[in-house]
Amino acid sequence: MYEIENVLRDYAWGSTTAIAALLGRPESGRPEAELWIGAHPDSPSTARVPGDGATTALDALISSDPGHYLGADSVARFGPRLPFLAKILAAAQPLSLQVHPSLEQARAGFARENAEGVPAGAPNRNYRDDNHKPEMILALTPFEALCGFRPVAETREILAHVAAACGSSEAGVPALVGELQDDLRASDEGQGLRKAFERLITGGRSVAEDTALVVAALLSEAALAPHEAELKTVISLNEKYPGDPGVLISLLLNRVSLAPGEAVYLPAGNVHAYLHGLGVEVMASSDNVLRGGLTPKFVDVPELLRTVDFQPVAVPMLAAERTALDQEVFRPPFEEFQLQRIELAPGAAPVPLAQSGAAVVIVVAGEIYLDSPKGDLQLSRGGSAFLPAAEAPVNVHPVAGCTEQALAFAVTTGL
Ligand SMILES: [Zn+2]
């Protein structure tokens, strides 16, 4: 097994303190948005070769012998690359409203943009690779998010509340609010949501002006209950992105507050935005994002509309399965990954690591000792490892003499 060093991404929305505090490492002085744990070619982890101290990029290491590192089943199903990417994500500010493509859309889109000669990294490039990006997030702190279209009946109640607030303001009810209410009277909820979303995302200046009127009315509205979370989200998103279509699109989406330990999963087509909090995020190894607002970056409206799933959904909460020795495994309905939460009291019995193919591990509290027939490795808080498929089965032990409760997360395939 290999100790690995992971790459910090410094996106502007990142917390400057949360990841450093979690992992017990010095702050960089810059936003620390995401720590990437995996082999995505844009920011692969670096593996230390046991014995000689040499280092190698994890994607290169895996390519040198995919059967050994990933296992035959994983290679047969996902090809000769690590199928998942794990991240520690720390949002101090909202991320862009976004949606991820299906596998078919990603393959077609990546090939099309290559054929058109859109350079990698160009601002108008949608597809950075040919993979889909289903994802999940497990909250480590209270975690706020927007996630999927809410069933329309409740959204209509919220819009009625907005209309009432505007009605008692000097400017009256903006035309946009009435149009959105009309859109959502459609008998087909998905069609109604498509119309409302399209109106907001393509509406340009009048959307910006009417959004300002809505926010002004909400700011002078005394009673935001019973839709306080939703309406406060509109106000705070507008502070950061005044007039952005995403401000009112947020009203169409489930507003989710996760307690630490709770998780949601996000299939292709689910419109979502992480607003605030620290979590463990796991996804198929891809960086394919179509943005839909709350961003100064490029928004490809036609491609976005082809990708969004407009069917309303309940919040896609992901319950943990309890395994032997009271450990939790989160298995979303995706084959690429599952997440195990490993908690070990001092002196506790060893826990079998849930492993199917390769695995990565990160320790966020205490110390653990990884032990397999082929090797072993001790990791302390902030430490991380790559476990080749060929080295399974691995047991996770508390470290003798360590008086602190150990907490670690392990990601492997869902096969
Ligand atoms: Zn996402």
Side-chain angles (χ1 to χ4, degrees):
M1 43 190 96
Y2 296 81
E3 194 167 354
I4 56 175
E5 281 290 330
N6 305 306
V7 181
L8 267 175
R9 306 289 301 242
D10 62 355
Y11 307 121
W13 49 260
S15 164
T16 56
T17 57
I19 291 179
L22 178 73
L23 300 180
R25 51 196 282 168
E27 293 169 13
S28 64
R30 299 179 51 78
E32 299 178 359
E34 295 178 346
L35 184 75
W36 285 30
I37 309 158
H40 191 283
D42 283 357
S43 290
S45 300
T46 306
R48 185 167 303 126
V49 180
D52 66 0
T55 59
T56 176
L58 188 55
D59 55 337
L61 180 75
I62 290 170
S63 296
S64 70
D65 191 351
H68 173 82
Y69 291 108
L70 303 173
D73 290 352
S74 180
V75 173
R77 181 68 188 83
F78 307 113
R81 61 184 176 185
L82 190 66
F84 53 80
L85 172 62
K87 298 177 180 176
I88 305 290
L89 179 146
Q93 292 168 24
L95 283 71
S96 58
L97 196 66
Q98 58 187 254
V99 64
H100 304 297
S102 69
L103 190 54
E104 297 69 34
Q105 285 164 337
R107 283 183 179 150
F110 186 65
R112 185 175 65 244
E113 291 184 346
N114 284 346
E116 287 166 357
V118 185
N124 63 332
R125 177 112 198 175
N126 290 315
Y127 294 99
R128 292 170 194 278
D129 51 67
D130 63 356
N131 203 7
H132 63 163
K133 189 178 176 257
E135 65 190 29
M136 64 166 285
I137 188 143
L138 171 65
L140 295 176
T141 64
F143 196 93
E144 307 298 326
L146 299 164
C147 180
F149 289 101
R150 180 195 302 111
V152 164
E154 196 186 337
T155 301
R156 287 173 60 174
E157 283 174 24
I158 295 173
L159 283 174
H161 191 156
V162 169
C166 293
S168 51
S169 74
E170 221 169 280
V173 183
L176 178 61
V177 173
E179 288 161 2
L180 293 172
Q181 288 180 299
D182 286 343
D183 293 339
L184 296 184
R185 284 192 191 102
S187 56
D188 180 327
E189 293 196 10
Q191 283 299 334
L193 286 164
R194 173 184 283 273
K195 247 178 129 179
F197 184 92
E198 224 177 308
R199 181 183 301 285
L200 289 165
I201 198 88
T202 58
R205 191 169 158 70
S206 66
V207 167
E209 287 167 353
D210 284 3
T211 299
L213 295 175
V214 167
V215 171
L218 292 177
L219 282 170
S220 55
E221 169 81 356
L224 296 182
H227 306 115
E228 195 163 6
E230 292 80 2
L231 299 178
K232 279 193 169 165
T233 299
V234 167
I235 293 169
S236 71
L237 290 176
N238 194 65
E239 272 168 26
K240 182 89 178 102
Y241 296 103
D244 185 286
V247 173
L248 291 184
I249 289 173
S250 78
L251 283 180
L252 306 177
L253 303 173
N254 289 300
R255 177 68 178 77
V256 188
S257 295
L258 298 176
E262 290 185 328
V264 287
Y265 66 96
L266 299 109
N270 178 301
V271 179
H272 58 281
Y274 299 146
L275 301 175
H276 193 269
L278 177 69
V280 181
E281 191 189 23
V282 192
M283 65 212 72
S285 188
S286 169
D287 204 16
N288 282 328
V289 178
L290 291 146
R291 292 182 189 82
L294 308 179
T295 179
K297 289 186 188 161
F298 173 67
V299 173
D300 182 340
V301 172
E303 189 66 11
L304 177 73
L305 293 173
R306 276 194 286 276
T307 309
V308 170
D309 180 354
F310 288 97
Q311 284 312 308
V313 290
V315 177
M317 298 295 296
L318 181 60
E321 292 173 23
R322 289 250 160 211
T323 62
L325 301 165
D326 210 27
Q327 303 299 312
E328 289 185 332
V329 179
F330 295 86
R331 296 186 213 272
F334 314 128
E335 290 185 312
E336 280 85 353
F337 57 86
Q338 62 176 28
L339 172 66
Q340 183 181 17
R341 180 179 186 278
I342 301 164
E343 193 167 15
L344 288 173
V351 168
L353 189 111
Q355 187 172 358
S356 169
V360 296
V361 179
I362 185 158
V363 180
V364 303
E367 292 177 76
I368 63 171
Y369 177 73
L370 300 165
D371 162 44
S372 89
K374 305 254 176 67
D376 53 19
L377 187 63
Q378 188 166 324
L379 295 174
S380 54
R381 179 176 169 213
S384 189
F386 172 72
L387 312 180
E391 293 192 30
V394 174
N395 281 309
V396 189
H397 304 251
V399 171
C402 177
T403 54
E404 205 187 331
Q405 182 102 342
L407 180 60
F409 295 95
V411 178
T412 189
T413 80
L415 291 177

